[in-house]
Amino acid sequence: MAKVKIKTNRSAAKRFKRTATGKIRRGKAYKSHLLSKKTSKRKRSLRKSALVSGSDAKRIKRLIPNS
């Protein structure tokens, strides 16, 4: 009996990347529109990526098994 391969969730694969140590990296929210009211400092910090919290990382790792 053949083992069934798990398909990668393509929407999750575009949003999350795995680091070399196995953690999950994500982009920050609130950077797409209504930028004139946000300070330059705030917009600069939104460019940087962040790590997914440990409780969510397990669910996301299941969505991107082959990355």
Side-chain angles (χ1 to χ4, degrees), residues 24-36:
I24 306 291
R25 198 173 65 222
R26 64 170 176 84
K28 290 186 181 174
Y30 309 112
K31 184 67 175 80
S32 56
H33 63 102
L34 299 175
L35 297 173
S36 56

Side-chain angles (χ1 to χ4, degrees), residues 33-40 42-43:
H33 63 102
L34 299 175
L35 297 173
S36 56
K37 63 171 79 170
K38 294 169 187 157
T39 64
S40 301
R42 185 173 164 194
K43 288 185 278 193

Side-chain angles (χ1 to χ4, degrees), residues 6-66:
I6 302 170
K7 281 193 174 181
T8 299
N9 181 300
R10 297 312 296 162
S11 63
K14 290 166 190 172
R15 287 171 172 82
F16 303 104
K17 299 281 179 246
R18 203 179 293 244
T19 63
T21 56
K23 294 175 182 167
I24 306 291
R25 198 173 65 222
R26 64 170 176 84
K28 290 186 181 174
Y30 309 112
K31 184 67 175 80
S32 56
H33 63 102
L34 299 175
L35 297 173
S36 56
K37 63 171 79 170
K38 294 169 187 157
T39 64
S40 301
K41 181 181 177 181
R42 185 173 164 194
K43 288 185 278 193
R44 258 197 318 278
S45 73
L46 289 173
R47 279 184 218 148
K48 300 168 189 164
S49 60
L51 292 176
V52 172
S53 66
S55 54
D56 293 327
K58 189 177 178 183
R59 291 187 300 143
I60 291 163
K61 281 179 183 176
R62 206 175 295 147
L63 294 174
I64 48 171
N66 304 319

